[in-house]
Amino acid sequence: MLCLKKVLGMVVLLAMVAMFVVPAFADEATDNQAQAWFNQMFQNKKAWVDQAVKDGRLTTEQGKLYNEHFDQMYKFHQENGYTCPMGGPGGGMGYGRGFGSGMGNGPGYNAQQ
């Protein structure tokens, strides 16, 4: 009987450890993926601005202001986490159910773009 209690106790202990350790690794992997996505997004935006300045679609001053804004946003995300507003790309207010209004899986909203 005592052996059964020890085994049961160990199983419960291992289950509790798994509940905390596995999500910690998953969060780290998710954070790394989010950071990689943000790095790529900011690189693409800066490349677009550089090309727009080169093509004359933006002035040099406009390009400088855009890049300063991107730098500020990048710093913000470094300090506050790599998350998107409204739950990420594609999340947020949408067409929904119920006569075309309400919460749903719509096109989403991304304030960073």
Side-chain angles (χ1 to χ4, degrees), residues 58-98:
L58 293 175
T59 66
T60 304
E61 183 62 26
Q62 288 172 319
K64 180 181 174 187
L65 290 173
Y66 269 110
N67 283 324
E68 287 175 1
H69 171 73
F70 296 147
D71 290 340
Q72 290 172 351
M73 293 306 300
Y74 188 78
K75 182 178 178 184
F76 171 84
H77 286 290
Q78 281 181 317
E79 295 171 355
N80 298 293
Y82 296 95
T83 59
C84 292
M86 305 290 284
M93 300 292 283
Y95 299 112
R97 295 172 189 86

mmCIF file of all heavy atoms in Angstrom, residues 58-98:
data_model
loop_
_atom_site.group_PDB
_atom_site.id
_atom_site.type_symbol
_atom_site.label_atom_id
_atom_site.label_comp_id
_atom_site.label_asym_id
_atom_site.label_seq_id
_atom_site.Cartn_x
_atom_site.Cartn_y
_atom_site.Cartn_z
ATOM 1 N N LEU A 58 9.389 58.760 -52.104
ATOM 2 C CA LEU A 58 9.493 59.430 -50.812
ATOM 3 C C LEU A 58 10.697 60.347 -50.840
ATOM 4 O O LEU A 58 11.688 60.052 -51.516
ATOM 5 C CB LEU A 58 9.687 58.423 -49.670
ATOM 6 C CG LEU A 58 8.563 57.474 -49.310
ATOM 7 C CD1 LEU A 58 9.028 56.484 -48.238
ATOM 8 C CD2 LEU A 58 7.346 58.229 -48.817
ATOM 9 N N THR A 59 10.608 61.457 -50.101
ATOM 10 C CA THR A 59 11.777 62.321 -49.978
ATOM 11 C C THR A 59 12.746 61.680 -48.981
ATOM 12 O O THR A 59 12.371 60.772 -48.220
ATOM 13 C CB THR A 59 11.381 63.714 -49.476
ATOM 14 O OG1 THR A 59 10.883 63.597 -48.140
ATOM 15 C CG2 THR A 59 10.337 64.361 -50.379
ATOM 16 N N THR A 60 13.959 62.169 -48.968
ATOM 17 C CA THR A 60 14.943 61.680 -48.012
ATOM 18 C C THR A 60 14.462 61.913 -46.586
ATOM 19 O O THR A 60 14.608 61.046 -45.720
ATOM 20 C CB THR A 60 16.300 62.378 -48.235
ATOM 21 O OG1 THR A 60 16.701 62.173 -49.586
ATOM 22 C CG2 THR A 60 17.368 61.851 -47.310
ATOM 23 N N GLU A 61 13.837 63.081 -46.338
ATOM 24 C CA GLU A 61 13.323 63.390 -45.007
ATOM 25 C C GLU A 61 12.191 62.436 -44.620
ATOM 26 O O GLU A 61 12.134 61.960 -43.480
ATOM 27 C CB GLU A 61 12.825 64.841 -44.949
ATOM 28 C CG GLU A 61 12.343 65.273 -43.592
ATOM 29 C CD GLU A 61 13.417 65.245 -42.501
ATOM 30 O OE1 GLU A 61 14.622 65.362 -42.809
ATOM 31 O OE2 GLU A 61 13.031 65.087 -41.330
ATOM 32 N N GLN A 62 11.295 62.130 -45.548
ATOM 33 C CA GLN A 62 10.223 61.184 -45.263
ATOM 34 C C GLN A 62 10.790 59.801 -44.945
ATOM 35 O O GLN A 62 10.334 59.121 -44.019
ATOM 36 C CB GLN A 62 9.253 61.090 -46.444
ATOM 37 C CG GLN A 62 8.387 62.308 -46.624
ATOM 38 C CD GLN A 62 7.594 62.245 -47.926
ATOM 39 O OE1 GLN A 62 8.115 61.821 -48.964
ATOM 40 N NE2 GLN A 62 6.350 62.685 -47.867
ATOM 41 N N GLY A 63 11.770 59.377 -45.728
ATOM 42 C CA GLY A 63 12.403 58.088 -45.475
ATOM 43 C C GLY A 63 13.056 58.044 -44.108
ATOM 44 O O GLY A 63 12.953 57.042 -43.381
ATOM 45 N N LYS A 64 13.705 59.149 -43.721
ATOM 46 C CA LYS A 64 14.333 59.228 -42.406
ATOM 47 C C LYS A 64 13.281 59.121 -41.306
ATOM 48 O O LYS A 64 13.477 58.387 -40.324
ATOM 49 C CB LYS A 64 15.104 60.547 -42.281
ATOM 50 C CG LYS A 64 15.797 60.733 -40.966
ATOM 51 C CD LYS A 64 16.527 62.076 -40.908
ATOM 52 C CE LYS A 64 17.083 62.293 -39.514
ATOM 53 N NZ LYS A 64 17.638 63.637 -39.361
ATOM 54 N N LEU A 65 12.155 59.808 -41.464
ATOM 55 C CA LEU A 65 11.086 59.752 -40.458
ATOM 56 C C LEU A 65 10.493 58.347 -40.345
ATOM 57 O O LEU A 65 10.228 57.865 -39.238
ATOM 58 C CB LEU A 65 9.996 60.770 -40.784
ATOM 59 C CG LEU A 65 10.390 62.237 -40.603
ATOM 60 C CD1 LEU A 65 9.285 63.154 -41.127
ATOM 61 C CD2 LEU A 65 10.701 62.542 -39.152
ATOM 62 N N TYR A 66 10.263 57.703 -41.491
ATOM 63 C CA TYR A 66 9.759 56.321 -41.459
ATOM 64 C C TYR A 66 10.726 55.413 -40.716
ATOM 65 O O TYR A 66 10.322 54.627 -39.856
ATOM 66 C CB TYR A 66 9.563 55.770 -42.878
ATOM 67 C CG TYR A 66 8.199 55.994 -43.463
ATOM 68 C CD1 TYR A 66 8.009 56.891 -44.501
ATOM 69 C CD2 TYR A 66 7.092 55.286 -42.998
ATOM 70 C CE1 TYR A 66 6.749 57.090 -45.060
ATOM 71 C CE2 TYR A 66 5.841 55.473 -43.550
ATOM 72 C CZ TYR A 66 5.673 56.371 -44.572
ATOM 73 O OH TYR A 66 4.437 56.560 -45.118
ATOM 74 N N ASN A 67 12.006 55.504 -41.041
ATOM 75 C CA ASN A 67 12.994 54.628 -40.406
ATOM 76 C C ASN A 67 13.134 54.917 -38.914
ATOM 77 O O ASN A 67 13.323 53.988 -38.121
ATOM 78 C CB ASN A 67 14.337 54.721 -41.119
ATOM 79 C CG ASN A 67 14.338 53.937 -42.406
ATOM 80 O OD1 ASN A 67 13.728 52.880 -42.505
ATOM 81 N ND2 ASN A 67 15.018 54.458 -43.419
ATOM 82 N N GLU A 68 13.017 56.184 -38.510
ATOM 83 C CA GLU A 68 13.039 56.508 -37.083
ATOM 84 C C GLU A 68 11.840 55.878 -36.374
ATOM 85 O O GLU A 68 11.964 55.355 -35.264
ATOM 86 C CB GLU A 68 13.043 58.026 -36.875
ATOM 87 C CG GLU A 68 14.362 58.683 -37.204
ATOM 88 C CD GLU A 68 14.307 60.200 -37.117
ATOM 89 O OE1 GLU A 68 13.228 60.763 -36.774
ATOM 90 O OE2 GLU A 68 15.334 60.837 -37.397
ATOM 91 N N HIS A 69 10.673 55.938 -37.023
ATOM 92 C CA HIS A 69 9.483 55.323 -36.452
ATOM 93 C C HIS A 69 9.673 53.809 -36.318
ATOM 94 O O HIS A 69 9.346 53.229 -35.271
ATOM 95 C CB HIS A 69 8.256 55.615 -37.314
ATOM 96 C CG HIS A 69 7.045 54.846 -36.914
ATOM 97 N ND1 HIS A 69 6.323 55.134 -35.774
ATOM 98 C CD2 HIS A 69 6.437 53.771 -37.476
ATOM 99 C CE1 HIS A 69 5.316 54.277 -35.668
ATOM 100 N NE2 HIS A 69 5.367 53.448 -36.691
ATOM 101 N N PHE A 70 10.208 53.174 -37.356
ATOM 102 C CA PHE A 70 10.437 51.722 -37.299
ATOM 103 C C PHE A 70 11.421 51.373 -36.182
ATOM 104 O O PHE A 70 11.241 50.379 -35.483
ATOM 105 C CB PHE A 70 10.938 51.190 -38.640
ATOM 106 C CG PHE A 70 9.957 51.332 -39.763
ATOM 107 C CD1 PHE A 70 10.408 51.552 -41.051
ATOM 108 C CD2 PHE A 70 8.593 51.251 -39.551
ATOM 109 C CE1 PHE A 70 9.511 51.682 -42.103
ATOM 110 C CE2 PHE A 70 7.688 51.379 -40.586
ATOM 111 C CZ PHE A 70 8.149 51.598 -41.867
ATOM 112 N N ASP A 71 12.454 52.212 -36.012
ATOM 113 C CA ASP A 71 13.413 51.976 -34.929
ATOM 114 C C ASP A 71 12.741 52.079 -33.562
ATOM 115 O O ASP A 71 13.007 51.269 -32.662
ATOM 116 C CB ASP A 71 14.578 52.963 -35.009
ATOM 117 C CG ASP A 71 15.493 52.713 -36.197
ATOM 118 O OD1 ASP A 71 15.478 51.591 -36.749
ATOM 119 O OD2 ASP A 71 16.220 53.659 -36.582
ATOM 120 N N GLN A 72 11.863 53.074 -33.399
ATOM 121 C CA GLN A 72 11.138 53.220 -32.133
ATOM 122 C C GLN A 72 10.234 52.015 -31.875
ATOM 123 O O GLN A 72 10.164 51.512 -30.754
ATOM 124 C CB GLN A 72 10.293 54.495 -32.142
ATOM 125 C CG GLN A 72 11.098 55.761 -32.085
ATOM 126 C CD GLN A 72 10.224 56.997 -32.302
ATOM 127 O OE1 GLN A 72 9.053 56.902 -32.649
ATOM 128 N NE2 GLN A 72 10.822 58.156 -32.092
ATOM 129 N N MET A 73 9.534 51.567 -32.899
ATOM 130 C CA MET A 73 8.638 50.424 -32.741
ATOM 131 C C MET A 73 9.428 49.148 -32.443
ATOM 132 O O MET A 73 9.003 48.319 -31.640
ATOM 133 C CB MET A 73 7.760 50.234 -33.979
ATOM 134 C CG MET A 73 6.763 51.357 -34.185
ATOM 135 S SD MET A 73 5.711 51.701 -32.752
ATOM 136 C CE MET A 73 4.904 50.143 -32.539
ATOM 137 N N TYR A 74 10.567 48.993 -33.088
ATOM 138 C CA TYR A 74 11.399 47.816 -32.837
ATOM 139 C C TYR A 74 11.870 47.813 -31.382
ATOM 140 O O TYR A 74 11.809 46.790 -30.700
ATOM 141 C CB TYR A 74 12.583 47.785 -33.799
ATOM 142 C CG TYR A 74 13.352 46.496 -33.719
ATOM 143 C CD1 TYR A 74 12.877 45.348 -34.339
ATOM 144 C CD2 TYR A 74 14.541 46.410 -33.010
ATOM 145 C CE1 TYR A 74 13.563 44.153 -34.260
ATOM 146 C CE2 TYR A 74 15.232 45.224 -32.920
ATOM 147 C CZ TYR A 74 14.739 44.096 -33.543
ATOM 148 O OH TYR A 74 15.423 42.915 -33.453
ATOM 149 N N LYS A 75 12.315 48.983 -30.900
ATOM 150 C CA LYS A 75 12.765 49.097 -29.511
ATOM 151 C C LYS A 75 11.607 48.793 -28.563
ATOM 152 O O LYS A 75 11.782 48.104 -27.559
ATOM 153 C CB LYS A 75 13.311 50.489 -29.244
ATOM 154 C CG LYS A 75 13.850 50.670 -27.849
ATOM 155 C CD LYS A 75 14.431 52.048 -27.636
ATOM 156 C CE LYS A 75 14.919 52.184 -26.196
ATOM 157 N NZ LYS A 75 15.402 53.523 -25.919
ATOM 158 N N PHE A 76 10.412 49.307 -28.883
ATOM 159 C CA PHE A 76 9.231 49.028 -28.058
ATOM 160 C C PHE A 76 9.004 47.523 -27.940
ATOM 161 O O PHE A 76 8.766 47.009 -26.849
ATOM 162 C CB PHE A 76 7.995 49.699 -28.661
ATOM 163 C CG PHE A 76 6.711 49.281 -28.000
ATOM 164 C CD1 PHE A 76 6.284 49.897 -26.842
ATOM 165 C CD2 PHE A 76 5.935 48.259 -28.534
ATOM 166 C CE1 PHE A 76 5.111 49.507 -26.222
ATOM 167 C CE2 PHE A 76 4.764 47.861 -27.927
ATOM 168 C CZ PHE A 76 4.351 48.490 -26.766
ATOM 169 N N HIS A 77 9.064 46.811 -29.063
ATOM 170 C CA HIS A 77 8.817 45.375 -29.040
ATOM 171 C C HIS A 77 9.938 44.615 -28.337
ATOM 172 O O HIS A 77 9.678 43.580 -27.712
ATOM 173 C CB HIS A 77 8.584 44.837 -30.455
ATOM 174 C CG HIS A 77 7.244 45.218 -30.985
ATOM 175 N ND1 HIS A 77 6.069 44.690 -30.505
ATOM 176 C CD2 HIS A 77 6.887 46.102 -31.942
ATOM 177 C CE1 HIS A 77 5.049 45.221 -31.146
ATOM 178 N NE2 HIS A 77 5.521 46.082 -32.024
ATOM 179 N N GLN A 78 11.165 45.096 -28.415
ATOM 180 C CA GLN A 78 12.247 44.460 -27.662
ATOM 181 C C GLN A 78 11.985 44.555 -26.161
ATOM 182 O O GLN A 78 12.258 43.631 -25.419
ATOM 183 C CB GLN A 78 13.586 45.122 -27.972
ATOM 184 C CG GLN A 78 14.208 44.701 -29.273
ATOM 185 C CD GLN A 78 15.544 45.384 -29.488
ATOM 186 O OE1 GLN A 78 15.699 46.574 -29.234
ATOM 187 N NE2 GLN A 78 16.511 44.628 -29.968
ATOM 188 N N GLU A 79 11.452 45.701 -25.731
ATOM 189 C CA GLU A 79 11.223 45.931 -24.312
ATOM 190 C C GLU A 79 9.917 45.316 -23.815
ATOM 191 O O GLU A 79 9.795 44.983 -22.642
ATOM 192 C CB GLU A 79 11.216 47.430 -24.016
ATOM 193 C CG GLU A 79 12.557 48.092 -24.263
ATOM 194 C CD GLU A 79 12.505 49.602 -24.188
ATOM 195 O OE1 GLU A 79 11.388 50.174 -24.036
ATOM 196 O OE2 GLU A 79 13.568 50.236 -24.294
ATOM 197 N N ASN A 80 8.917 45.165 -24.685
ATOM 198 C CA ASN A 80 7.573 44.768 -24.258
ATOM 199 C C ASN A 80 7.089 43.451 -24.850
ATOM 200 O O ASN A 80 5.943 43.071 -24.625
ATOM 201 C CB ASN A 80 6.577 45.873 -24.604
ATOM 202 C CG ASN A 80 6.903 47.147 -23.868
ATOM 203 O OD1 ASN A 80 6.792 47.218 -22.660
ATOM 204 N ND2 ASN A 80 7.334 48.157 -24.601
ATOM 205 N N GLY A 81 7.909 42.785 -25.599
ATOM 206 C CA GLY A 81 7.516 41.509 -26.170
ATOM 207 C C GLY A 81 7.111 41.625 -27.628
ATOM 208 O O GLY A 81 6.698 42.685 -28.102
ATOM 209 N N TYR A 82 7.259 40.538 -28.317
ATOM 210 C CA TYR A 82 6.984 40.488 -29.751
ATOM 211 C C TYR A 82 5.578 39.952 -29.979
ATOM 212 O O TYR A 82 5.382 38.821 -30.388
ATOM 213 C CB TYR A 82 8.026 39.613 -30.449
ATOM 214 C CG TYR A 82 9.414 40.200 -30.340
ATOM 215 C CD1 TYR A 82 10.288 39.789 -29.335
ATOM 216 C CD2 TYR A 82 9.839 41.186 -31.215
ATOM 217 C CE1 TYR A 82 11.548 40.341 -29.223
ATOM 218 C CE2 TYR A 82 11.097 41.739 -31.104
ATOM 219 C CZ TYR A 82 11.946 41.311 -30.110
ATOM 220 O OH TYR A 82 13.194 41.861 -30.001
ATOM 221 N N THR A 83 4.602 40.781 -29.666
ATOM 222 C CA THR A 83 3.215 40.395 -29.885
ATOM 223 C C THR A 83 2.538 41.404 -30.785
ATOM 224 O O THR A 83 2.904 42.575 -30.808
ATOM 225 C CB THR A 83 2.434 40.310 -28.556
ATOM 226 O OG1 THR A 83 2.473 41.589 -27.918
ATOM 227 C CG2 THR A 83 3.012 39.260 -27.645
ATOM 228 N N CYS A 84 1.555 40.928 -31.508
ATOM 229 C CA CYS A 84 0.790 41.800 -32.395
ATOM 230 C C CYS A 84 -0.460 42.275 -31.674
ATOM 231 O O CYS A 84 -1.007 41.565 -30.850
ATOM 232 C CB CYS A 84 0.351 41.027 -33.643
ATOM 233 S SG CYS A 84 1.701 40.578 -34.713
ATOM 234 N N PRO A 85 -0.919 43.459 -32.022
ATOM 235 C CA PRO A 85 -2.185 43.889 -31.441
ATOM 236 C C PRO A 85 -3.316 42.997 -31.934
ATOM 237 O O PRO A 85 -3.245 42.438 -33.017
ATOM 238 C CB PRO A 85 -2.353 45.323 -31.950
ATOM 239 C CG PRO A 85 -1.474 45.417 -33.141
ATOM 240 C CD PRO A 85 -0.367 44.422 -32.940
ATOM 241 N N MET A 86 -4.361 42.866 -31.142
ATOM 242 C CA MET A 86 -5.551 42.093 -31.509
ATOM 243 C C MET A 86 -5.224 40.616 -31.741
ATOM 244 O O MET A 86 -5.901 39.944 -32.501
ATOM 245 C CB MET A 86 -6.242 42.681 -32.739
ATOM 246 C CG MET A 86 -6.619 44.136 -32.613
ATOM 247 S SD MET A 86 -7.943 44.418 -31.468
ATOM 248 C CE MET A 86 -9.316 43.872 -32.426
ATOM 249 N N GLY A 87 -4.157 40.092 -31.159
ATOM 250 C CA GLY A 87 -3.901 38.666 -31.195
ATOM 251 C C GLY A 87 -3.087 38.168 -32.371
ATOM 252 O O GLY A 87 -2.967 36.985 -32.579
ATOM 253 N N GLY A 88 -2.505 39.041 -33.169
ATOM 254 C CA GLY A 88 -1.636 38.595 -34.243
ATOM 255 C C GLY A 88 -2.235 38.772 -35.615
ATOM 256 O O GLY A 88 -3.355 39.247 -35.757
ATOM 257 N N PRO A 89 -1.483 38.419 -36.632
ATOM 258 C CA PRO A 89 -1.956 38.581 -37.999
ATOM 259 C C PRO A 89 -3.264 37.831 -38.234
ATOM 260 O O PRO A 89 -3.389 36.674 -37.897
ATOM 261 C CB PRO A 89 -0.826 37.982 -38.846
ATOM 262 C CG PRO A 89 0.362 38.005 -37.962
ATOM 263 C CD PRO A 89 -0.167 37.848 -36.553
ATOM 264 N N GLY A 90 -4.244 38.524 -38.774
ATOM 265 C CA GLY A 90 -5.514 37.892 -39.113
ATOM 266 C C GLY A 90 -6.505 37.833 -37.980
ATOM 267 O O GLY A 90 -7.653 37.478 -38.189
ATOM 268 N N GLY A 91 -6.102 38.209 -36.777
ATOM 269 C CA GLY A 91 -7.031 38.179 -35.661
ATOM 270 C C GLY A 91 -7.725 39.513 -35.491
ATOM 271 O O GLY A 91 -7.308 40.517 -36.027
ATOM 272 N N GLY A 92 -8.809 39.530 -34.773
ATOM 273 C CA GLY A 92 -9.448 40.799 -34.464
ATOM 274 C C GLY A 92 -10.877 40.860 -34.933
ATOM 275 O O GLY A 92 -11.531 39.855 -35.164
ATOM 276 N N MET A 93 -11.354 42.066 -35.071
ATOM 277 C CA MET A 93 -12.733 42.285 -35.494
ATOM 278 C C MET A 93 -12.884 41.818 -36.935
ATOM 279 O O MET A 93 -12.036 42.068 -37.768
ATOM 280 C CB MET A 93 -13.098 43.765 -35.391
ATOM 281 C CG MET A 93 -12.972 44.327 -33.997
ATOM 282 S SD MET A 93 -14.170 43.646 -32.879
ATOM 283 C CE MET A 93 -15.602 44.560 -33.371
ATOM 284 N N GLY A 94 -13.991 41.199 -37.233
ATOM 285 C CA GLY A 94 -14.173 40.689 -38.586
ATOM 286 C C GLY A 94 -15.624 40.638 -38.973
ATOM 287 O O GLY A 94 -16.472 41.285 -38.373
ATOM 288 N N TYR A 95 -15.918 39.873 -39.972
ATOM 289 C CA TYR A 95 -17.256 39.793 -40.519
ATOM 290 C C TYR A 95 -18.204 39.049 -39.596
ATOM 291 O O TYR A 95 -19.351 39.410 -39.459
ATOM 292 C CB TYR A 95 -17.211 39.137 -41.901
ATOM 293 C CG TYR A 95 -16.383 39.929 -42.869
ATOM 294 C CD1 TYR A 95 -15.172 39.420 -43.329
ATOM 295 C CD2 TYR A 95 -16.773 41.189 -43.276
ATOM 296 C CE1 TYR A 95 -14.384 40.146 -44.189
ATOM 297 C CE2 TYR A 95 -15.984 41.921 -44.150
ATOM 298 C CZ TYR A 95 -14.799 41.403 -44.610
ATOM 299 O OH TYR A 95 -14.024 42.121 -45.454
ATOM 300 N N GLY A 96 -17.755 38.030 -38.931
ATOM 301 C CA GLY A 96 -18.510 37.352 -37.898
ATOM 302 C C GLY A 96 -19.741 36.617 -38.376
ATOM 303 O O GLY A 96 -20.015 36.488 -39.558
ATOM 304 N N ARG A 97 -20.502 36.183 -37.390
ATOM 305 C CA ARG A 97 -21.731 35.446 -37.642
ATOM 306 C C ARG A 97 -22.893 36.299 -37.160
ATOM 307 O O ARG A 97 -22.766 37.055 -36.220
ATOM 308 C CB ARG A 97 -21.710 34.115 -36.893
ATOM 309 C CG ARG A 97 -20.622 33.185 -37.397
ATOM 310 C CD ARG A 97 -20.519 31.944 -36.488
ATOM 311 N NE ARG A 97 -19.355 31.178 -36.840
ATOM 312 C CZ ARG A 97 -18.138 31.384 -36.369
ATOM 313 N NH1 ARG A 97 -17.915 32.343 -35.520
ATOM 314 N NH2 ARG A 97 -17.130 30.628 -36.747
ATOM 315 N N GLY A 98 -24.023 36.166 -37.757
ATOM 316 C CA GLY A 98 -25.184 36.919 -37.320
ATOM 317 C C GLY A 98 -25.407 38.148 -38.181
ATOM 318 O O GLY A 98 -25.142 39.264 -37.766
#
